[in-house]
Amino acid sequence: EHTHKHQNEIQTITELQTSIAILKGNIGPGCLALPWSFSLLGVPLGCFITISCCVLVTWNAWTLVRLKREIWGVERRGITYSDVGENIYGSKFRIVVDISVVCVQLAVCTVFFSNMGENLSATMQQTLQQFELVSNENLIDILTDRRLIMLLLLPPILVLTSVPNLKRLSPYITIATIFMCLTFVLIAFIISNNWESGMTIWMAKHQTWQGYLQEIEWKLVPLATCAIMYSLEGDQLILPIESSMTNPRAFDRVLVASMTIVGVLFCVFASSCTIAFGNVDGGSITAFLMDHRIELRLMEMFSTYQILLVTNVIVSLSLLFTYPLQLFPAIGLMAQVVSRRDLDIEGEEGISLHTGGASSSNGGTVISGRGQDRGGDIQSYDNESTALVQALDTMPNIRQSLSHDRNLSQSEGETDSKTNTFALMSGMEGDSIGLRACLVLITFVVAIIVPRLKALISLAGAVTGSATSLIIPPMLALQFIKSVGAEEGICASRKRMEIFYILLIIIGWTYGLIGTVSSIQDILSNHHH
């Protein structure tokens, strides 16, 4: 017990580390689509919608934290998004939350696939034309087809996702972070060299308010808004980050300060790209710049092609190394599904072969005991393991726990054929290379089917972002307020909060439905063309 307590103390993080974790969770590859959104919305409306989305996501994230504290207290650690949903709505709603989180992570990975394909396609096309390696235009189109490139990326992604646990994956995650930071540095360098000419053109178009209104693509506003919501991809990290704080009572001000920085950085980055480069019509700013490199200005000592080649390659490598990390929450949840299915099968066999025998009871205790203990290490690796806040430290404990259970079972004369070596290495019962390969193939197939990156980003932001970020948190808060009101009586302030959360639910559903319909229409129109 003392050892476990000591490990928990080691795992806690300071307020600065908490802020960095929130920033890293939100500032990532999703930002590369923001310039396209701002080109459709215009800078003023783009900034307004971005800040509004940040406010909504921050409030709903804080709602989850407050619900967790109301139910379990401030100091309770290891509570997940699914735990809160199950406590308020029951076990069936936990499935809803789990499915939503799995869809979010698979959507993110699908966009990563498509983004790598688009970046490398633009790079290869410009390289073949630059050095005149291939003269046949049809052959160039075939060699640079994004679908062919994604097919070539499939084997290395399968290899990376077969890395059993996050501890072994951590070097790749570090490299991905460095590459993404370097990407933003190179983009900032390109912006600085094109700022003066871009600002002159932009100011000429916006001398009156009519200029601002005329540049807004009103029919595409839902798509642009969905892309902005997609960029706010770190809302799943809030509960594990808050639980990891040394002083969790300071989390509210850290969250507000960090999300304010996120909102400002999003606005500055997207506005700067829109002003410096004009109308950005691609879902990846790096791929767009490669396609329009002739129009760019750089210092004479640097080749535009070389700078953009490096930028596209390192951002693609960053996406490649980040992909397994983003897939881990989905792996954890799906592994639980497999584990519970195996438990049910073993339970049925145990009842039929050993009615009332020790075999079935022991077999059930191993997994169901973990499933009931929502504060345990297995559950801290549940939905929000994207955070990586505790995963690296808890992994040895999980493997030790699994090994202990297996040894206990074998000591009683039973051989657990279901527990495989890979599951012991990964720390997740039910995990396997086959499961991971299936999840990767799902993201690959969807990325192949949806032809354009920006359409895929909008669809991901509409379907997954609305559920986990905008709809479920106010639904949980509303039900919790009603249950408290039923016990303590309804007061005026509680009634106002009910109305407020109903309004948030309406906003979430409206955004989700309009965004989803617009995204699907955009995808279908592109297929027809």
Side-chain angles (χ1 to χ4, degrees):
E1 183 178 348
H2 175 74
T3 303
H4 183 67
K5 189 179 295 184
H6 177 66
Q7 287 172 343
N8 281 342
E9 290 175 359
I10 294 176
Q11 291 169 9
T12 58
I13 56 178
T14 64
E15 293 181 21
L16 178 60
Q17 290 172 322
T18 302
S19 181
I20 292 173
I22 295 173
L23 292 174
K24 285 176 64 178
N26 286 279
I27 301 175
C31 300
L32 300 178
L34 288 174
W36 167 64
S37 299
F38 273 53
S39 294
L40 298 178
L41 299 171
V43 172
L45 183 58
C47 289
F48 174 76
I49 292 179
T50 300
I51 297 300
S52 299
C53 289
C54 285
V55 170
L56 282 173
V57 169
T58 304
W59 175 264
N60 286 334
W62 177 239
T63 296
L64 289 175
V65 174
R66 286 191 296 115
L67 289 173
K68 172 251 180 181
R69 293 180 178 182
E70 288 287 342
I71 298 169
W72 288 282
V74 178
E75 301 300 329
R76 181 67 181 272
R77 302 184 187 277
I79 303 301
T80 67
Y81 197 161
S82 299
D83 295 332
V84 178
E86 181 177 8
N87 184 281
I88 294 175
Y89 273 107
S91 58
K92 290 185 178 180
F93 196 79
R94 182 184 186 89
I95 299 174
V96 174
V97 178
D98 287 348
I99 291 174
S100 299
V101 174
V102 168
C103 289
V104 167
Q105 300 309 132
L106 291 181
V108 170
C109 292
T110 302
V111 171
F112 277 22
F113 237 129
S114 185
N115 205 328
M116 286 186 284
E118 187 154 319
N119 284 324
L120 294 177
S121 174
T123 302
M124 288 183 63
Q125 189 168 26
Q126 294 298 324
T127 301
L128 292 176
Q129 293 176 352
Q130 172 86 6
F131 297 102
E132 298 181 352
L133 298 176
V134 179
S135 57
N136 190 318
E137 291 293 331
N138 292 329
L139 182 58
I140 291 178
D141 291 339
I142 294 173
L143 294 175
T144 60
D145 189 287
R146 55 182 290 276
R147 291 166 294 186
L148 175 61
I149 293 173
M150 286 191 288
L151 180 62
L152 296 175
L153 288 169
L154 185 58
I157 288 178
L158 287 170
V159 171
L160 283 172
T161 51
S162 66
V163 176
N165 55 60
L166 293 170
K167 191 168 186 177
R168 295 187 181 184
L169 195 62
S170 58
Y172 301 103
I173 298 169
T174 303
I175 294 172
T177 302
I178 294 171
F179 279 165
M180 186 52 61
C181 292
L182 185 57
T183 297
F184 287 119
V185 170
L186 291 173
I187 293 175
F189 171 75
I190 300 171
I191 289 173
S192 65
N193 280 273
N194 291 268
W195 180 259
E196 187 175 348
S197 59
M199 175 61 79
T200 302
I201 297 172
W202 189 82
M203 290 295 293
K205 293 180 179 179
H206 299 85
Q207 295 181 354
T208 64
W209 278 104
Q210 290 181 345
Y212 290 99
L213 295 175
Q214 289 174 355
E215 71 175 347
I216 300 174
E217 299 282 350
W218 293 104
K219 292 182 179 179
L220 300 179
V221 166
L223 295 178
T225 305
C226 292
I228 293 173
M229 269 303 298
Y230 171 80
S231 300
L232 293 166
E233 56 195 25
D235 57 297
Q236 308 299 317
L237 318 179
I238 295 303
L239 286 179
I241 291 177
E242 185 266 347
S243 295
S244 301
M245 285 190 72
T246 305
N247 178 24
R249 297 181 188 278
F251 183 74
D252 54 346
R253 67 170 182 268
V254 175
L255 175 64
V256 171
S258 302
M259 291 304 295
T260 300
I261 294 173
V262 169
V264 171
L265 289 178
F266 278 12
C267 291
V268 170
F269 173 73
S271 300
S272 299
C273 289
T274 305
I275 293 172
F277 308 133
N279 183 39
V280 179
D281 58 3
S284 171
I285 182 63
T286 51
F288 169 83
L289 292 176
M290 178 60 84
D291 288 335
H292 295 78
R293 63 187 180 87
I294 298 177
E295 305 165 21
L296 298 176
R297 298 181 181 180
L298 289 177
M299 295 180 179
E300 293 182 0
M301 67 182 71
F302 297 104
S303 164
T304 305
Y305 167 76
Q306 292 173 347
I307 293 292
L308 292 174
L309 175 66
V310 171
T311 304
N312 276 274
V313 170
I314 63 172
V315 74
S316 297
L317 288 174
S318 176
L319 292 167
L320 178 66
F321 291 140
T322 307
Y323 181 99
L325 171 65
Q326 293 293 344
L327 195 65
F328 254 85
I331 294 171
L333 288 171
M334 295 308 297
Q336 287 181 16
V337 172
V338 173
S339 179
R340 288 167 186 162
R341 183 203 63 185
D342 292 344
L343 174 62
D344 291 339
I345 295 173
E346 289 176 359
E348 291 174 2
E349 292 175 352
I351 291 173
S352 61
L353 296 175
H354 308 282
T355 305
S359 174
S360 61
S361 63
N362 288 340
T365 304
V366 172
I367 301 178
S368 64
R370 274 190 216 101
Q372 292 165 359
D373 181 11
R374 300 302 177 198
D377 288 333
I378 283 287
Q379 292 303 326
S380 70
Y381 199 174
D382 199 345
N383 310 354
E384 301 86 1
S385 59
T386 316
L388 282 182
V389 179
Q390 296 180 350
L392 300 184
D393 292 317
T394 59
M395 194 66 65
N397 299 331
I398 298 171
R399 287 201 300 273
Q400 185 178 6
S401 174
L402 283 169
S403 300
H404 172 74
D405 291 336
R406 190 180 184 189
N407 292 335
L408 178 64
S409 176
Q410 291 175 347
S411 67
E412 294 178 0
E414 296 180 31
T415 303
D416 186 4
S417 61
K418 299 294 182 182
T419 305
N420 56 57
T421 305
F422 190 82
L424 291 173
M425 293 174 63
S426 70
M428 294 180 285
E429 291 191 61
D431 188 15
S432 66
I433 293 180
L435 171 66
R436 297 185 179 205
C438 287
L439 294 177
V440 172
L441 289 174
I442 289 172
T443 64
F444 170 74
V445 171
V446 175
I448 291 290
I449 292 173
V450 181
R452 293 195 307 168
L453 173 62
K454 51 190 179 183
L456 185 59
I457 290 174
S458 297
L459 183 61
V463 176
T464 61
S466 60
T468 57
S469 301
L470 300 181
I471 298 175
I472 294 178
M475 283 180 62
L476 296 175
L478 179 63
Q479 181 62 24
F480 182 79
I481 291 173
K482 287 182 176 179
S483 63
V484 172
E487 296 176 1
E488 302 178 2
I490 299 176
C491 60
S493 60
R494 191 169 292 134
K495 194 67 179 176
R496 286 196 296 269
M497 289 304 296
E498 286 186 15
I499 295 173
F500 173 69
Y501 282 114
I502 289 173
L503 179 62
L504 288 183
I505 294 171
I506 293 173
I507 292 174
W509 275 107
T510 303
Y511 158 81
L513 291 173
I514 295 177
T516 302
V517 171
S518 299
S519 300
I520 293 175
Q521 287 179 341
D522 185 57
I523 292 171
L524 293 177
S525 65
N526 282 291
H527 270 297
H528 290 318
H529 289 119

